[in-house]
Amino acid sequence: MHTYMDHEAEPQLSDWFDPKKRPDVITTTDWLAPVIWEGTYNRQVLEKYYKRLNITVGLVVWATEKFAGQYLKEFIQSANEHFMNGYKVIFYIIMDDFSRFPPIELGPLRTFKLFAASKEKRWEDVNVVRMRNLNVYIIKHIQNEVDFLFSMTINQIFKKDFGVETLGKSVAQLHAWWYFQNAKNVPYERRYKSAAFIPFGEGDFYYHSAIFGGTPQEVLTFTIEYQRAVTSDNNNGLSSTFECHLNKYFFINKPTKLLSPEYNWDPTFRTPPQIKHVKIAWQPKDI
């Protein structure tokens, strides 16, 4: 696989990203990472670069228990249409019951691989098991097959092109619920003994665990740090949410690219004028 940022011809940020095009929203972080909104990026400039590299992008999704079947079919069908059009894509589908895999037709350049989800013990948190699985599969397979990797939850549906403007070393998704709310109210972990602790008055954004990505190595690093943090909490008799741990990780390890709420929108909300094009919408729970 190509090593990210190894190539001299990589476009500069100013070659493809114009934050002034969206004065109505935050387009650049304090650490100068771009926040990708509709209108801020020139995908064609990036296309020239990534086409030349002949990249492959991986997308991991868990389809366990009730989330197999219709959820999986709609997720993959919509991703087949809108995710990284024109590039090689591997869908990594992690299932606990392969017999529930629905019939799926993929376009050119798209393949899928089925991986078995290990059974969690009754007392284990499902996210701990998932990150342990992801860790193993990145090491055994994924890191040798793709240049970039996204992990997404299955109860989403792609609505518009999710393209190469989203690629980066470390990619975080701004949370649709919390982006437009008072930052003082975000649900960070506030117990100081927790490994996910973020003090009051600190924190950058509230990130959604439904989408995160980057290079396989960066995603692998997160899985390692998450498992380490959960072990620390367990030793202190604490339990925090996966999303809180993800937010703490990105607080310490600043993402190099942030995706605006347009990339992961809840359609039950009244859509504000800042949301120009919804790339992915949350699925209702009862499809």
Side-chain angles (χ1 to χ4, degrees), residues 3 15 37 62 73 84 119 122 132 137 144 147 164 185 203 224 234 236 246-247 249 252 271 285:
T3 303
D15 293 337
W37 293 85
W62 279 265
K73 187 165 188 173
M84 299 295 161
K119 300 281 189 204
R122 190 170 298 171
R132 193 161 63 227
Y137 288 129
N144 300 315
D147 301 281
V164 291
N185 299 327
I224 295 167
N234 287 341
N236 286 315
L246 182 78
N247 272 273
Y249 179 81
I252 300 298
T271 305
K285 294 267 172 101

Side-chain angles (χ1 to χ4, degrees), residues 14-27:
S14 59
D15 293 337
W16 64 270
F17 181 71
D18 187 353
K20 295 198 223 34
K21 291 284 183 69
R22 289 296 302 271
D24 57 325
V25 290
I26 298 169
T27 50

Side-chain angles (χ1 to χ4, degrees), residues 52-64:
R52 203 162 58 243
L53 291 185
N54 194 29
I55 62 167
T56 303
V57 183
L59 174 51
V60 173
V61 65
W62 279 265
T64 54

Side-chain angles (χ1 to χ4, degrees), residues 90-119:
I90 302 174
F91 297 113
Y92 297 104
I93 303 166
I94 304 179
M95 303 188 74
D96 55 0
D97 182 358
F98 291 156
S99 72
R100 302 179 71 181
F101 186 70
I104 287 173
E105 289 185 23
L106 296 178
L109 303 178
R110 273 125 216 283
T111 59
F112 70 85
K113 294 190 175 184
L114 295 181
F115 290 148
S118 64
K119 300 281 189 204

